[in-house]
Amino acid sequence: MQNSSRIEVFLNNMMKSLRSCSVMNVFQDAVCTLNTLQTNASALEQVKRERGHPQLQLQAMRGFLQRAGLKVEELDRLNIIHVTGTKGKGSTCAFTEQILRNYGFRTGFYSSPHLVQVRERIRINGQPIGKELFTKYFWQVYRRLEETKEAHGGSMPAYFRFLTILAFNVFLQEKVDLAVIEVGIGGAYDCTNIIRRPWVCGISSLGIDHTSILGDTIEKIAWQKGGIFKLGVPAFTVKQPVGPMKVLQERAEEIGCSLSVCPDLEEYESEGSLRLGLAGHHQRRNASLALQLSHTWLQRHFLTGVGVSPAPVFQPSPAMIKGLAETEWPGRNQTLKHGPVTYFLDGAHTTRSMLACVRWFNEVTPQHERNAGGSVVRVLLFNATGERDCAAMLKLLSCHFDFAVFCPNITEAIATCNADQQNFNVSVENMLTRCLDNQQSWRVLNGQEEKPEAELLIGGGLPLVAERHSDTLVFPCILSALQWISQGRDSVLSNPNKCIIPLKPSINAKAAPLREAVSIHVLITGSLHLVGGALKHLDPALNS
């Protein structure tokens, strides 16, 4: 009898394991299929066709939504909070979602980009949807679009459009009480802007970014961001410079909605200062915007003028205070301590956000250095993508580090790299060339003698040896960079399951200060994709 019971337990465990493997395989198939939408020919043709006629983007998005079996009118049921901005929109959404979840509402939250796994972009009650749920709804939507593509010239939605449709479908099917939707790029012509009747709209800090799409001045960018305003829907903004604020006011008057400017966080009536779960002084603006968005949403839920006015100062409820304190948003002003190695991670990728990152880093590191009780080596791990002004960002960082390390946003230089983090839109050659350019910029900024450009060792695959000039190095992937920086002193990276990239003895010899220091402080910044790739290795829980 005892043996029979043990066999039954064994069989049950085996079946669970098989089911788990099956779920993982089907999930990875879904992610790999999703990745094909990054570069398929019809998607590229869409981009070319719509670049000169941005209004076509929303028209196309409505068509894809209908083909997926959804109607624009159905989105009204999601009681949406729609948020845009250049910097801080994701953090604002995270604060807002946490506050409203603390009231007991079932929340949906759509954001981008993801750090480790693509399902992070679609959250229910603060958690990424499970692999089974993602897989179920992915194939449901994909097959509907696949079955109708021949009748529409073979067109399929590009990556971000598809995920937006998928998020709407998930939130409707899972019957959330509300959905917090973060704009992808801009606002007016972003594919999330097919939303007709949000409950409230918010704009975080504006700055210069995505200029080839949004315009080359902050006023042009403000016009795009103000495009999410809707007739009669209250809108809130953090304090902005005079030029863009005037544009936002004009947009609000033109569309027919109220626009209010959020007060400073210190102005709210509260016993003592409000504690935030996210580090960095700039998060106080985002928290104030989140308080106004959640407060307005709650007023409409429970209670079922044009121009710019001050948003009301009120006393935050206990649920709001708790929500601000408990908000988590990985990869933004995040600190991870692994024994003698402390990582400071921030996805800053514009000059303005890098200023905030440097301010945060300078605020938090002195206490860590005092606690170290000995020598500390500071290391910068940097990469940036797209049209970012890397030299301007590096200039802000140039006085702070003993080593500057550069690598592309490739998690591992092996074929088993996570499908969630694959990017087929940029070649390996381009990524590594960008790293070498950044290395050269760093050398110039630090007054080091220029040397001939390093050879790109690509050939049949990625280079497996770091190229070093003075105190700067370029590595082929994020894992190899982290392994060199930590020098075996981080037990998480010393996991025997992780591939060890072989390095020349001369490269390892240069790491002597890292081995001898009491502590190593590593700032990882320049790209949310870089931060996400690092977290894949540094926080194993994010891979589960």
Side-chain angles (χ1 to χ4, degrees):
M1 186 70 178
Q2 191 174 11
N3 284 339
S4 174
S5 177
R6 291 168 69 181
I7 290 170
E8 185 178 348
V9 169
F10 173 79
L11 289 173
N12 285 336
N13 289 338
M14 186 173 70
M15 291 303 295
K16 284 180 184 176
S17 177
L18 288 171
R19 279 196 297 272
S20 175
C21 290
S22 176
V23 168
M24 176 61 77
N25 290 337
V26 177
F27 171 71
Q28 285 300 317
D29 285 347
V31 174
C32 290
T33 303
L34 172 65
N35 285 344
T36 66
L37 299 178
Q38 292 187 43
T39 54
N40 70 73
S42 61
L44 294 174
E45 189 56 38
Q46 284 172 22
V47 172
K48 292 176 185 174
R49 187 172 61 250
E50 295 164 3
R51 187 167 288 164
H53 305 279
Q55 64 275 12
L56 290 178
Q57 296 176 29
L58 295 180
Q59 184 180 325
M61 183 63 181
R62 292 187 193 99
F64 287 126
L65 190 75
Q66 188 172 9
R67 284 170 53 190
L70 301 174
K71 296 178 182 177
V72 174
E73 298 77 30
E74 292 181 85
L75 304 185
D76 298 345
R77 303 205 314 261
L78 293 176
N79 309 327
I80 288 169
I81 298 171
H82 202 191
V83 183
T84 188
T86 306
K87 173 177 163 41
K89 62 184 186 291
S91 298
T92 297
C93 289
F95 278 128
T96 305
E97 184 277 331
Q98 178 74 59
I99 288 170
L100 292 171
R101 179 156 38 101
N102 277 2
Y103 274 90
F105 294 108
R106 182 171 170 80
T107 62
F109 177 13
Y110 177 57
S111 65
S112 61
H114 60 276
L115 293 177
V116 178
Q117 298 195 49
V118 68
R119 56 195 179 87
E120 295 166 22
R121 297 182 183 225
I122 305 172
R123 295 172 182 258
I124 292 178
N125 285 338
Q127 296 300 313
I129 60 172
K131 292 176 181 176
E132 290 187 67
L133 209 61
F134 180 93
T135 303
K136 169 188 169 183
Y137 288 122
F138 173 87
W139 290 115
Q140 185 182 94
V141 171
Y142 187 85
R143 282 169 183 146
R144 287 172 183 167
L145 289 163
E146 180 79 13
E147 288 165 0
T148 56
K149 76 175 185 180
E150 293 308 318
H152 294 82
S155 66
M156 289 287 283
Y159 189 88
F160 184 75
R161 280 182 181 171
F162 182 93
L163 285 170
T164 304
I165 295 168
L166 179 61
F168 288 146
N169 184 59
V170 169
F171 296 153
L172 286 166
Q173 297 281 352
E174 293 297 310
K175 295 180 171 54
V176 298
D177 296 315
L178 67 119
V180 181
I181 305 293
E182 178 190 355
V183 166
I185 295 177
Y189 304 118
D190 184 73
C191 64
T192 65
N193 206 30
I194 57 170
I195 299 164
R196 303 185 315 160
R197 295 174 184 164
W199 278 24
V200 61
C201 297
I203 297 186
S204 64
S205 297
L206 298 181
I208 301 293
D209 198 15
H210 301 294
T211 53
S212 63
I213 299 172
L214 304 179
D216 56 3
T217 68
I218 195 169
E219 287 77 16
K220 291 177 181 177
I221 290 170
W223 187 92
Q224 293 280 353
K225 304 291 184 181
I228 70 167
F229 295 159
K230 300 294 185 296
L231 176 65
V233 175
F236 294 86
T237 177
V238 301
K239 293 174 182 176
Q240 309 284 3
V242 174
M245 182 62 83
K246 185 173 183 291
V247 173
L248 291 178
Q249 180 178 357
E250 290 169 353
R251 286 290 261 165
E253 292 172 353
E254 168 197 335
I255 291 168
C257 70
S258 64
L259 177 62
S260 303
V261 181
C262 298
D264 293 335
L265 195 63
E266 292 75 16
E267 296 179 47
Y268 290 87
E269 302 164 11
S270 175
E271 296 180 6
S273 60
L274 293 169
R275 188 173 67 84
L276 305 184
L278 302 183
H281 188 267
H282 57 283
Q283 295 292 357
R284 303 185 72 77
R285 291 191 299 268
N286 302 329
S288 179
L289 178 55
L291 283 172
Q292 294 295 333
L293 295 174
S294 55
H295 180 69
T296 302
W297 190 95
L298 287 164
Q299 283 184 315
R300 173 162 177 178
H301 176 81
F302 288 118
L303 296 177
T304 301
V306 180
V308 177
S309 61
V313 174
F314 56 88
Q315 183 169 359
S317 69
M320 289 178 172
I321 294 170
K322 188 170 184 281
L324 291 177
E326 292 181 347
T327 299
E328 295 180 359
W329 197 225
R332 287 83 171 174
N333 302 133
Q334 181 181 5
T335 304
L336 287 177
K337 184 167 175 56
H338 290 187
V341 188
T342 303
Y343 302 93
F344 303 88
L345 303 103
D346 188 68
H349 53 271
T350 66
T351 305
R352 187 173 177 185
S353 60
M354 191 58 72
L355 273 169
C357 173
V358 170
R359 179 178 177 179
W360 163 71
F361 184 69
N362 287 336
E363 285 173 354
V364 298
T365 50
Q367 185 59 50
H368 285 274
E369 290 178 357
R370 284 192 292 271
N371 293 341
S375 62
V376 176
V377 172
R378 283 185 170 192
V379 183
L380 171 68
L381 177 55
F382 180 91
N383 189 42
T385 59
E387 56 191 27
R388 317 292 184 207
D389 189 347
C390 296
M393 288 192 281
L394 289 171
K395 187 175 182 179
L396 297 172
L397 295 160
S398 60
C399 300
H400 298 272
F401 299 95
D402 302 298
F403 289 95
V405 176
F406 304 94
C407 69
N409 295 341
I410 299 172
T411 54
E412 299 176 59
I414 54 175
T416 57
C417 179
N418 193 341
D420 290 83
Q421 295 181 318
Q422 289 178 340
N423 182 354
F424 300 124
N425 293 319
V426 185
S427 70
V428 173
E429 288 87 347
N430 287 341
M431 287 191 279
L432 285 169
T433 299
R434 185 71 173 268
C435 292
L436 292 169
D437 289 343
N438 291 337
Q439 181 189 49
Q440 186 60 28
S441 295
W442 182 267
R443 291 182 57 78
V444 171
L445 286 167
N446 285 274
Q448 296 167 352
E449 181 185 349
E450 294 191 28
K451 293 189 177 181
E453 184 177 355
E455 180 184 0
L456 271 179
L457 306 176
I458 294 176
L462 292 171
L464 294 180
V465 178
E467 290 292 320
R468 186 179 192 276
H469 300 285
S470 184
D471 60 350
T472 71
L473 300 94
V474 174
F475 284 89
C477 67
I478 296 168
L479 178 59
S480 59
L482 291 172
Q483 287 174 335
W484 184 85
I485 292 167
S486 62
Q487 288 295 301
R489 302 177 69 185
D490 180 347
S491 60
V492 175
L493 291 174
S494 300
N495 187 319
N497 294 325
K498 290 192 179 291
C499 173
I500 303 294
I501 305 258
L503 298 176
K504 291 177 181 177
S506 59
I507 300 300
N508 283 324
K510 301 296 183 182
L514 295 167
R515 292 189 291 270
E516 295 165 2
V518 172
S519 291
I520 303 169
H521 289 174
V522 190
L523 175 63
I524 304 175
T525 190
S527 163
L528 271 170
H529 300 286
L530 171 69
V531 169
L535 283 172
K536 176 183 184 294
H537 299 298
L538 299 175
D539 189 351
L542 293 175
N543 294 305
S544 59

